[in-house]
Amino acid sequence: MLNLTYNYKIIPTKEQIEKIEHNLIVCKSVWNFALAERKLWYNSRSCPVNACSIKSEYVVPPFEYPNYHTQSANLTQAKKTNDFLKSGNAQAMQQTLRKLDRAFNDMKSKGKGFPRFKKQMKSFNLISNKFEVVGNKLRMPLLKEVRFIKSRDIPEGFKIKQVQIVKKASGYYVNLGIELDVDVSSPHPHGHAIGIDVGISSLLATSDGLTIKRPKFLNSVLRKIELLQRKLRNKIKGSGKYRKLQKRIALLYETTANRRKDYHFKLAHQLCDGVGMIFVEDINFTAWSRGRFCKQSLDMGLGQFFTTLEYICSQTDTYFAKVDKSYTSQICPNCGTHTGKKDLPERVHFCPECGYTQDRDIAAAEIVRERGLTRTRHLGLPQVREMSAAVGAPVVKQPCNGGLAGAIA
Ligand SMILES: [Zn+2]
């Protein structure tokens, strides 16, 4: 099964906008109610050991944990008597509960934060097999027929399985989840291998000696946002000028996100070019962004970049794997000696054992590549070419043809 997401801007009519806005409000209430229910369960079970249980314990009768299934069943029941819930789209509400369930699962498995109450819902999902594109119109259950800007064609043979309607500062968008029924084998390790190290002075470095600087283009926009936010503080909340400024800030944020995404895609394609295997460090970006890399990594969205890179790899028949990140900056890539901890300003790796000298980030990237290659050898993954050739000359690859040719081949 091949799944892709295509993004389009839609041009809804006045009535359609009303429908979208109404469903966003309904979904927001569903989210907040379901979250409150789960929160109550958590709180009812947590009483500090050193506190008096009469004062600190929640006094609620014991109830079962409200998981997705019970919440979904309760919603169906509540809809029978509640007109407000009845007015919303059933699918959209159900999917909102699913999203909340996923947020709780991510919290447990990926160490993400406790889900929050929403002041504003920005999107909802619809699942159906009745989606259809006719010309420049999208047919779907809730909105019937909505005009959209067909910035690119949906590839032949794909079926639309899911539609996400997203509200942004610049208007309304749809994310179409499309699916093709084919066998997709993930790329095998083959060809030239590179390791990537997330640098300190540079954005990243590869074992081939390429270092990528932090792009400057975001700085100017961020400075503008800061300036507008300072202005916003002097305005009366809710006034016309306040709202106008707020909208300008939201638009700037959107531009920043778009530019960043664009940059990530270009960079990922550049890295995949002529390469058969890419190895990166296995970094927990959630924990990372709370640490000393806070500002840089948030500006850059490195976690997002790694996800993009993994996606582009799958589209260009490039093998992608994460490797253990410990001590990458302390081991000599030439002889394997532990050279000890480097201070932050220390830019160069110098090995006292073998005399190997290299840029610090590039040396770390070389370690990442070595680990990746060792790992594929251990896993006994089928190799297209001998490992000795892997470190040699780059392989000429077919260009990525709309992402499809590489993935199906
Ligand atoms: Zn050495």
Side-chain angles (χ1 to χ4, degrees), residues 190-226:
H190 69 281
H192 182 60
I194 59 166
I196 294 175
D197 175 72
V198 177
I200 293 163
S201 61
S202 54
L203 170 65
L204 49 85
T206 76
S207 52
D208 281 354
L210 177 75
T211 51
I212 308 254
K213 290 217 165 62
R214 255 166 238 296
K216 291 260 157 57
F217 62 76
L218 288 175
N219 294 355
S220 61
V221 190
L222 288 173
R223 222 174 295 132
K224 223 184 225 170
I225 289 176
E226 269 170 32

Side-chain angles (χ1 to χ4, degrees), residues 332 334-337 349 351 353-356:
C332 171
N334 195 39
C335 67
T337 311
H349 162 85
C351 176
E353 290 294 318
C354 69
Y356 186 66

Side-chain angles (χ1 to χ4, degrees), residues 242-298:
Y242 184 91
R243 268 193 303 236
K244 234 184 223 164
L245 260 177
Q246 221 176 14
K247 168 115 185 171
R248 263 179 76 191
I249 293 172
L251 273 171
L252 278 175
Y253 269 118
E254 206 184 308
T255 325
T256 321
N258 286 344
R259 277 172 127 185
R260 186 189 288 130
K261 198 169 144 194
D262 194 53
Y263 175 74
H264 284 169
F265 268 83
K266 281 194 185 126
L267 186 57
H269 272 291
Q270 187 192 340
L271 290 170
C272 285
D273 189 31
V275 166
M277 297 178 246
I278 290 185
F279 301 108
V280 300
E281 301 163 279
D282 191 5
I283 297 169
N284 178 352
F285 285 102
T286 321
W288 216 50
S289 59
R290 284 187 201 128
R292 81 185 131 122
F293 297 101
C294 182
K295 190 148 183 179
Q296 287 102 315
S297 80
L298 282 186

